[in-house]
Amino acid sequence: MLMETLNIRNHGLNSSAKRYHRHAKTGKCATLILISIFVMSCKSTLLTNSTTVNVTDPNADESAKHLMLRIREIPKNGYAFGHQDATAYGMGWKNDGTSYRSDVAEVSGDFPAVYGFEIGHIELGHQQNLDSVDFDLMTRLIQKAHKSGGIISISWHPDNPVTNKSAWDPSPAVAEILEGGLMHPKYQAWVAKVADFMHGLKTQTGKPIPIVFRPFHEMNGSWFWWGRKSCTPKEFQLLWRQTYELLTNTYNVHNLLYCYSTDVVKNEKEYLKFYPGDNYVDILGIDLYHKNSTERYIELLKDNLSLLSKIGKFKNKPFAMTEGGLNMVPVEDWWTNVLDKSVANTGIAWALFWRNAWPNHYFGPFKGQKSSADFKKFKGLSHVLFLEDIKKIR
Ligand code: BMA
């Protein structure tokens, strides 16, 4: 009925009015097209593809899929620079919640692209992690790093669940916390606390913040209770899978990408010895510290990263140097001449350096530190990506 009335009215229009209407219609179309182009260009180009990306969690949040696409995109441009606890503290300062700074930014003029955080002691319900970083502050620092375009990686050094000593107590514990084990309920409650923390990582508008979660790292070493001398590969794999199932299926955490990272390895077989399976791992990592001579480290980086790259390509999974560095960086040109020369073009998505904790335990530069001038040079290399560069990969 309404349509008919409109049609009759339309028939009644004279030709100039009709022309005016035609123009108005074309104008409207053009405006709509322009608005769509503008909206599309504001929206991440990667985000529009995020339904097609493969991540292990079938119920992964859109944000986690988007993060996976960003990570896959990085090696086309170089590799990203990461720093552990970059904004939580640095040499001679601690974030009291009122400032936002980083030793790396003070030296180089830009913030890291990747932010490592640590949730050891979340399982105990503590207010602070094992390195005295307040968990509420950590949440805010994660929100800020995410908002500014950074990538967040979270490690977890849980206490030994059997002895209640630290993660570095290698007394056997894994068998006890697996399903059917006496301590399984205790472990389940621990994972519930991890889940609560992960659930709390939301943007201002309530969207989940995607995280690279890297639990039970360096398992091929023998210093942690989940290490090679404390459990069998089978037990480790079950621990990983059961933790994964608890987080995803039981506690509905869907903002995580799972990263498996070993310590330095001799060969592929050693890398894969504890590997829980392709369906439980999104990213392959390796922790490579400079502990012996420079020559030895250069060799180690080359060997281990080419091996990692081979496995990554075969499995079609992104890979990264998930921890590393030279304590106290006493080599003046370490960043450009030791590190970059060995890791550029290996295909790693990022390299993360450990925390600037104390005057004799730091892996990043700070103002006045011996390697700072070289770090500025390193920052200037077009294939080394800091926050301003990684922001553009979206
Ligand atoms: C280690 C050291 C420790 C710290 C732990 C977890 O490598 O830095 O002091 O407690 O990492 O961050």
Side-chain angles (χ1 to χ4, degrees):
M1 174 69 177
L2 185 68
M3 278 302 286
E4 266 169 35
T5 326
L6 281 175
N7 278 341
I8 294 163
R9 281 207 190 132
N10 235 356
H11 281 298
L13 290 171
N14 65 32
S15 59
S16 71
K18 274 185 189 165
R19 254 199 321 276
Y20 169 78
H21 269 248
R22 257 201 315 272
H23 282 149
K25 234 175 155 182
T26 334
K28 249 188 208 158
C29 274
T31 317
L32 275 177
I33 291 171
L34 280 175
I35 290 174
S36 323
I37 291 173
F38 178 72
V39 170
M40 292 286 280
S41 65
C42 287
K43 203 176 170 190
S44 141
T45 38
L46 293 175
L47 205 54
T48 49
N49 294 328
S50 61
T51 43
T52 56
V53 73
N54 258 345
V55 294
T56 57
D57 177 3
N59 299 314
D61 187 78
E62 197 62 20
S63 64
K65 295 183 188 172
H66 180 221
L67 175 59
M68 184 60 149
L69 283 169
R70 291 184 76 201
I71 290 172
R72 282 190 174 282
E73 198 68 15
I74 296 173
K76 297 178 190 161
N77 304 273
Y79 63 95
F81 173 85
H83 194 203
Q84 183 73 6
D85 281 343
T87 50
Y89 51 80
M91 202 46 63
W93 61 272
K94 190 168 174 183
N95 193 325
D96 61 0
T98 59
S99 61
Y100 194 73
R101 59 189 281 201
S102 128
D103 281 348
V104 163
E106 279 160 23
V107 169
S108 74
D110 197 4
F111 279 81
V114 179
Y115 296 76
F117 288 98
E118 162 61 39
I119 56 166
H121 287 183
I122 194 90
E123 73 280 1
L124 307 177
H126 289 186
Q127 188 55 41
Q128 294 190 338
N129 81 354
L130 75 170
D131 300 319
S132 310
V133 178
D134 185 274
F135 283 115
D136 292 335
L137 173 69
M138 192 186 297
T139 297
R140 292 199 300 278
L141 296 178
I142 288 174
Q143 286 164 332
K144 172 98 177 159
H146 172 72
K147 193 176 178 195
S148 59
I151 290 176
I152 323 295
S153 162
I154 292 186
S155 53
W156 183 30
H157 290 76
D159 273 5
N160 184 313
V162 170
T163 64
N164 295 320
K165 291 184 182 160
S166 81
W168 290 265
D169 173 13
S171 310
V174 177
E176 297 294 331
I177 61 171
L178 293 177
E179 276 167 27
L182 270 180
M183 297 267 179
H184 185 64
K186 173 176 177 175
Y187 182 66
Q188 249 182 320
W190 278 16
V191 179
K193 294 232 164 55
V194 172
D196 283 348
F197 181 78
M198 298 300 186
H199 278 305
L201 302 177
K202 298 250 164 66
T203 65
Q204 270 168 345
T205 57
K207 291 196 180 128
I209 296 177
I211 303 292
V212 174
F213 185 42
R214 200 171 66 83
F216 307 125
H217 61 306
E218 300 172 8
M219 77 302 289
N220 59 323
S222 52
W223 40 91
F224 295 128
W225 58 261
W226 57 87
R228 78 181 147 85
K229 288 193 183 152
S230 310
C231 63
T232 65
K234 184 83 212 149
E235 285 168 345
F236 180 89
Q237 285 153 356
L238 286 173
L239 173 67
W240 186 286
R241 289 182 206 151
Q242 289 177 14
T243 307
Y244 179 101
E245 296 294 345
L246 281 171
L247 284 170
T248 53
N249 296 336
T250 310
Y251 301 126
N252 286 312
V253 175
H254 297 299
N255 53 333
L256 308 184
L257 297 177
Y258 290 79
C259 177
Y260 168 84
S261 59
T262 68
D263 195 58
V264 54
V265 294
K266 282 185 204 69
N267 50 41
E268 208 173 309
K269 193 166 162 228
E270 187 184 351
Y271 187 84
L272 295 172
K273 192 165 176 191
F274 298 85
Y275 187 65
D278 291 341
N279 294 339
Y280 299 90
V281 172
D282 296 297
I283 298 161
L284 302 173
I286 197 158
D287 294 359
L288 300 172
Y289 283 92
H290 181 161
K291 291 179 187 157
N292 301 308
S293 71
T294 296
E295 293 70 36
R296 176 73 200 104
Y297 189 57
I298 291 173
E299 250 171 56
L300 182 150
L301 285 173
K302 288 202 167 140
D303 294 351
N304 275 260
L305 294 179
S306 72
L307 191 141
L308 185 69
S309 146
K310 197 173 143 209
I311 304 173
K313 281 179 187 146
F314 178 74
K315 292 191 175 295
N316 190 25
K317 294 191 190 283
F319 48 95
M321 184 171 121
T322 36
E323 264 185 48
L326 168 62
N327 191 24
M328 299 170 76
V329 220
V331 180
E332 216 165 338
D333 59 351
W334 191 81
W335 301 99
T336 57
N337 246 337
V338 179
L339 178 80
D340 184 65
K341 284 205 172 135
S342 322
V343 311
N345 303 316
T346 55
I348 53 168
W350 71 86
L352 180 136
F353 298 86
W354 208 239
R355 59 199 204 106
N356 280 9
W358 310 291
N360 63 355
H361 186 60
Y362 64 85
F363 299 82
F366 52 88
K367 269 203 163 154
Q369 201 276 331
K370 195 174 182 180
S371 71
S372 326
D374 187 58
F375 190 81
K376 277 182 98 167
K377 267 202 215 160
F378 171 71
K379 150 78 176 61
L381 299 172
S382 61
H383 60 273
V384 184
L385 313 178
F386 280 66
L387 187 61
E388 286 305 317
D389 312 301
I390 199 94
K391 255 182 195 172
K392 295 177 197 142
I393 302 179
R394 58 188 196 102

